[in-house]
């Protein structure tokens, strides 16, 4: 039986008919790879934009946050693992791109108002077709599209989507290739996509600090130096880890560690924020 290769992310899953990819959200349906999560919503909330976190993109406003299911990384410390590890059997609400754009537009006219749609909670880029179609509708209506993403996607689809995206928060999970091997990703791909996005639109970066894994001052200094080479005003969020999912064998990151690493980053970057503290 001939297999089809999913070209959306660098995993390049080779799938025979009926087989689902490592992200749990894309499937060989016989003639093509399709998104099982198209129009299927697991989470919906009107959030402060700062919660994404985006601190320097229309602060003080709200955005309609939307989640699906699945993820193409397999982080043992995932903070939203109930939906990121879920598949097509997970309970969802059907919401077409047109219906989602209508909802966002209706909320924009009410108090407290709505900037647009943030695709978040799980990995939005594995639902590429749905996100792209919705983003085009939102752009036409003068609303914003925001992505909260791991940035682990092939360059061509990423470049296709970026013109319709107003802001991204991209997880830079660690600043070493071996860290990305641990989570099933590719360090160079994520770095490339941060550079691509930062040249085109508003980008903020988040690094979740995990004790014993990515909490060294040297790593933070290297990360901040690299980010300032892109743009010294690129905001960085240094966030505190809490034991979740499969990584419950250690304590939460000490608050003082987060603050100390933020101080390291501030040597190079103008805007550094701490999270979960």
């Amino acid at each position: 039986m001939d297999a089809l290769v999913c070209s959306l992310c660098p995993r390049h899953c080779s799938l025979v008919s009926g087989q689902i990819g490592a992200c749990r959200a894309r499937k060989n349906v016989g003639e093509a790879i399709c998104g099982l999560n198209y129009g299927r919503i697991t989470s919906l909330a009107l959030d402060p934009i700062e919660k994404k976190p985006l601190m320097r993109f229309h602060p003080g406003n709200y955005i309609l946050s939307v989640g699906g299911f699945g993820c193409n990384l397999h982080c043992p410390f995932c903070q939203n693992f109930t939906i990121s590890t879920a598949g097509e059997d997970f309970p969802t609400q059907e919401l077409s791109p047109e219906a989602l754009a209508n909802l966002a537009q209706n909320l924009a006219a009410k108090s407290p108002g709505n900037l647009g749609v943030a695709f978040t909670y799980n990995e939005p880029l594995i639902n590429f077709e749905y996100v792209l179609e919705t983003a085009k509708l939102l752009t036409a209506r003068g609303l914003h599209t925001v992505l909260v993403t791991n940035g682990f996607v092939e360059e061509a689809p990423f470049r296709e989507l970026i013109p319709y995206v107003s802001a991204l928060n991209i997880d830079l999970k660690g600043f070493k290739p071996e860290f990305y091997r641990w989570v099933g990703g590719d360090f160079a791909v994520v770095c490339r996509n941060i550079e691509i996005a930062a040249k085109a639109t508003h980008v903020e970066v988040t690094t979740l600090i995990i004790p014993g894994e990515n909490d060294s001052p040297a790593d933070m200094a290297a990360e901040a130096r690299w980010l300032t080479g892109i743009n010294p005003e690129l905001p960085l969020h240094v966030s505190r880890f809490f034991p979740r999912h499969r990584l419950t064998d250690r304590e939460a990151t000490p608050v003082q560690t987060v603050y100390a690493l933020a101080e390291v980053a501030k040597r190079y970057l103008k805007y550094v924020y701490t999270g979960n503290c």
Side-chain angles (χ1 to χ4, degrees):
M1 183 182 299
D2 291 338
L4 297 177
V5 175
C6 181
S7 59
L8 181 61
C9 98
R11 283 185 174 274
H12 293 160
C13 294
S14 180
L15 308 173
V16 298
S17 182
Q19 189 175 8
I20 297 172
C23 65
R24 302 178 182 85
R26 302 186 70 80
K27 181 179 182 179
N28 181 344
V29 296
E31 298 179 355
I33 305 292
C34 77
L36 295 173
N37 48 3
Y38 185 96
R40 296 183 59 190
I41 306 304
T42 61
S43 311
L44 193 67
L46 190 63
D47 287 332
I49 190 67
E50 292 85 355
K51 191 177 177 181
K52 297 306 92 193
L54 289 170
M55 297 298 290
R56 305 200 65 79
F57 179 77
H58 297 281
N61 286 276
Y62 285 74
I63 194 159
L64 182 62
S65 298
V66 178
F69 60 83
C71 184
N72 58 344
L73 293 185
H74 296 157
C75 303
F77 48 85
C78 181
Q79 305 294 288
N80 286 331
F81 69 93
T82 53
I83 57 173
S84 72
T85 63
E88 61 180 330
D89 295 332
F90 197 85
T92 57
Q93 171 187 345
E94 297 290 333
L95 204 61
S96 70
E98 185 75 25
L100 180 53
N102 287 342
L103 177 57
Q105 188 170 32
N106 290 339
L107 288 171
K110 298 179 179 180
S111 180
N114 175 36
L115 293 169
V117 173
F119 293 97
T120 180
Y121 303 136
N122 75 307
E123 176 48 50
L125 291 174
I126 60 172
N127 200 0
F128 174 78
E129 296 83 359
Y130 180 71
V131 172
L132 177 61
E133 189 173 341
T134 307
K136 289 179 177 179
L137 293 173
L138 293 168
T139 299
R141 300 177 190 206
L143 297 171
H144 294 289
T145 296
V146 166
L147 299 181
V148 181
T149 175
N150 61 34
F152 186 49
V153 68
E154 286 290 9
E155 182 173 349
F158 194 58
R159 287 189 181 275
E160 184 180 358
L161 178 59
I162 284 295
Y164 304 99
V165 176
S166 300
L168 302 91
N169 187 292
I170 303 178
D171 285 338
L172 185 52
K173 294 181 180 293
F175 205 67
K176 289 182 178 178
E178 51 265 39
F179 191 95
Y180 270 86
R181 286 193 288 271
W182 182 41
V183 301
D186 188 305
F187 176 57
V189 168
V190 176
C191 288
R192 177 201 69 200
N193 286 337
I194 291 173
E195 291 177 325
I196 289 170
K199 290 176 182 177
T201 191
H202 181 86
V203 172
E204 303 191 18
V205 169
T206 295
T207 299
L208 182 72
I209 303 302
I210 302 170
E213 302 294 345
N214 62 350
D215 58 348
S216 78
D219 283 357
M220 179 52 66
E223 177 177 331
R225 281 195 301 268
W226 178 75
L227 289 171
T228 202
I230 299 173
N231 183 350
E233 296 193 356
L234 194 158
L236 172 64
H237 300 261
V238 183
S239 191
R240 186 185 184 204
F241 157 86
F242 289 93
R244 294 280 283 170
H245 193 27
R246 299 194 305 274
L247 202 65
T248 56
D249 62 344
R250 63 200 74 189
E251 299 295 324
T253 310
V255 172
Q256 60 267 30
T257 298
V258 176
Y259 289 150
L261 292 177
E263 290 302 314
V264 171
K266 287 176 183 178
R267 299 174 194 165
Y268 308 94
L269 293 165
K270 184 175 181 180
Y271 302 114
V272 179
Y273 303 94
T274 55
N276 293 343
C277 292

